[in-house]
Amino acid sequence: MNIIPLTETYYQQALLLANKVHGDNYLDLPSLIDMQKKASKNAINANFIALEGDTVVGLRLSYAANQWPLDEWCTPSLWPCAQTDMAYFKCIAIDPNQQGKGIGPKLLTASINALKQQGAKAGIGHLWQQSPGNGAVKYFTKAGGKLIKEHKNRWYEYSIKENYQCTICGVPCHCSAAEMVIEF
Ligand SMILES: CC(C)(COP(=O)(O)OP(=O)(O)OC[C@H]1O[C@@H](n2cnc3c(N)ncnc32)[C@H](O)[C@@H]1OP(=O)(O)O)[C@@H](O)C(=O)NCCC(=O)NCCS
């Protein structure tokens, strides 16, 4: 298995994987292209994929510090560093057949190394609290993630407005998010 930066060659496979793991309409091509821009700073790309042969089995999307917009689910008053130094862990998806084998942590490490090289001091994410086996909060906590705040119905509006079909709830989605931070 190889961990490499995400390139255009793998966009279609990355999209299929993200929507298979998180639900239909979770991600589309224009959004992914925008996310690739947000991930790139000083010629360093913080988005990574895990490849088994030429098949994408894992995807980690992360934004460079100061290149992403805050929203109502961000609590900068509780963050350990300035907003301008904070990277964002946007999305991770491991193929269901490959979950629980340590691929997520490898992708996270690759992203953290890139984000650090870009100059970030920490990274924040919204961890899916209903993820299968509680994998999301577990893997992030093992990597040093600390809970900042819990947010109920984090993807509710997204499911209503963008027809996002949560794999757990369908529409509407009532899943909650744990706002968590890793200091670098
Ligand atoms: C969460 C995720 C990224 C973790 O990556 P991973 O490669 O599976 O991570 P690990 O192999 O280190 O597993 C972490 C823990 O979660 C458990 N786990 C992961 N996937 C699981 C599953 N589908 N069912 C039951 N347990 C699971 C593992 O057994 C392990 O538990 P342990 O710490 O008690 O040993 C990956 O499982 C995934 O893509 N899950 C679905 C999508 C998701 O939740 N994305 C994150 C949204 S914020």
Side-chain angles (χ1 to χ4, degrees), residues 9-50:
T9 311
Y10 293 102
Y11 279 1
Q12 278 308 329
Q13 281 199 60
L15 279 176
L16 285 173
L17 178 64
N19 289 333
K20 177 180 176 185
V21 171
H22 288 283
D24 286 346
N25 303 322
Y26 177 77
L27 201 56
D28 60 17
L29 186 57
S31 305
L32 185 60
I33 291 169
D34 179 60
M35 289 170 187
Q36 186 82 322
K37 284 189 194 134
K38 289 189 169 90
S40 302
K41 192 180 199 176
N42 304 334
I44 298 164
N45 180 5
N47 287 339
F48 286 86
I49 53 173

Side-chain angles (χ1 to χ4, degrees), residues 21-22 26 90-96 98-105 126-139 142 155:
V21 171
H22 288 283
Y26 177 77
K90 172 62 185 162
C91 155
I92 185 162
I94 310 296
D95 190 281
Q98 303 280 352
Q99 291 171 9
K101 296 182 183 173
I103 299 173
H126 290 88
L127 283 297
W128 184 24
Q129 291 187 302
Q130 284 73 24
S131 80
N134 197 26
V137 171
K138 269 188 181 173
Y139 106 102
K142 274 192 192 168
W155 294 277

Side-chain angles (χ1 to χ4, degrees), residues 155-164 171-173:
W155 294 277
Y156 178 83
E157 273 190 35
Y158 192 55
S159 68
I160 299 282
K161 289 184 181 161
E162 307 292 334
N163 198 28
Y164 160 54
V171 180
C173 172

Side-chain angles (χ1 to χ4, degrees), residues 76-93:
S77 60
L78 299 177
W79 294 354
C81 68
Q83 186 186 320
T84 46
D85 294 324
M86 184 63 92
Y88 189 68
F89 296 112
K90 172 62 185 162
C91 155
I92 185 162

Side-chain angles (χ1 to χ4, degrees), residues 128 130 151-155 166 168-169 173-177:
W128 184 24
Q130 284 73 24
H151 301 274
K152 294 206 184 309
N153 295 315
R154 164 65 181 84
W155 294 277
C166 171
I168 307 288
C169 321
C173 172
H174 286 289
C175 289
S176 48

